[in-house]
């Protein structure tokens, strides 16, 4: 059974940082592209970032480019998201997502439509 468990969220002030993690189990982590998506109250699900199965390739939404960094540790079956220079508009529930098919890198649309998603971790940015 595929399990994705996010952690690391919290309440921070604007300009501060957080590091989110996603512990994966139930599948061969190193063969699947992964992504982060988020959803703020009353808003649609938003794709944030994708990383290839090997970690070689990374992609970011314009809204977070230069501030967020996605990474993975295939030896530890862990996906990470470093959030720097946080803004109030970054407040949302953050979810890690797995691709449906091994090796193919998740597109933004595929990430949004994936059925393989964790329970989420809440990030709140407020002064």
């Amino acid at each position: 059974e595929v399990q994705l468990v996010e952690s690391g969220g919290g309440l921070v002030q604007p300009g501060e940082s957080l590091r989110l993690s996603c512990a994966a189990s139930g599948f061969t982590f190193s063969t699947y592209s992964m992504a982060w998506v988020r959803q703020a109250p009353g808003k649609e699900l938003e794709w944030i970032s994708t990383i290839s199965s090997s970690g070689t390739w990374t992609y970011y939404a314009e809204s977070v480019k230069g501030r967020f960094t996605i990474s993975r540790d295939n030896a530890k079956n862990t996906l990470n998201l470093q959030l720097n220079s946080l803004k109030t508009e970054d407040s949302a529930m953050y979810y890690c997502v797995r691709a449906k098919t091994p090796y193919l890198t998740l597109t933004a649309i595929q990430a949004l439509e994936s059925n393989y998603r964790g329970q989420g971790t809440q990030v709140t940015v407020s002064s």
Side-chain angles (χ1 to χ4, degrees):
E1 179 187 1
V2 174
Q3 288 196 330
L4 301 168
V5 180
E6 301 92 338
S7 61
L11 172 63
V12 297
Q13 294 187 345
E16 294 187 339
S17 300
L18 278 174
R19 184 174 178 83
L20 308 183
S21 293
C22 173
S25 62
F27 63 100
T28 305
F29 181 72
S30 61
T31 64
Y32 286 86
S33 173
M34 301 291 294
W36 288 94
V37 299
R38 68 185 180 185
Q39 189 166 27
K43 295 189 176 182
E44 294 185 349
L45 197 64
E46 178 188 12
W47 169 77
I48 297 300
S49 181
T50 290
I51 188 166
S52 62
S53 56
S54 66
T56 301
W57 306 104
T58 58
Y59 307 89
Y60 297 93
E62 286 298 322
S63 59
V64 304
K65 193 175 291 184
R67 300 189 298 122
F68 291 9
T69 303
I70 192 171
S71 63
R72 64 191 297 161
D73 185 336
N74 284 346
K76 296 182 178 180
N77 291 353
T78 301
L79 175 72
N80 302 300
L81 186 68
Q82 179 68 38
L83 291 66
N84 295 332
S85 303
L86 282 161
K87 306 175 181 180
T88 55
E89 52 263 43
D90 293 319
S91 296
M93 187 71 80
Y94 284 70
Y95 302 92
C96 68
V97 171
R98 197 203 82 173
K100 179 179 180 180
T101 306
Y103 298 112
L104 294 182
T105 299
L106 270 170
T107 65
I109 292 177
Q110 289 169 341
L112 295 174
E113 296 178 346
S114 175
N115 291 323
Y116 300 103
R117 186 191 307 170
Q119 84 291 345
T121 186
Q122 179 68 41
V123 172
T124 303
V125 185
S126 175
S127 56

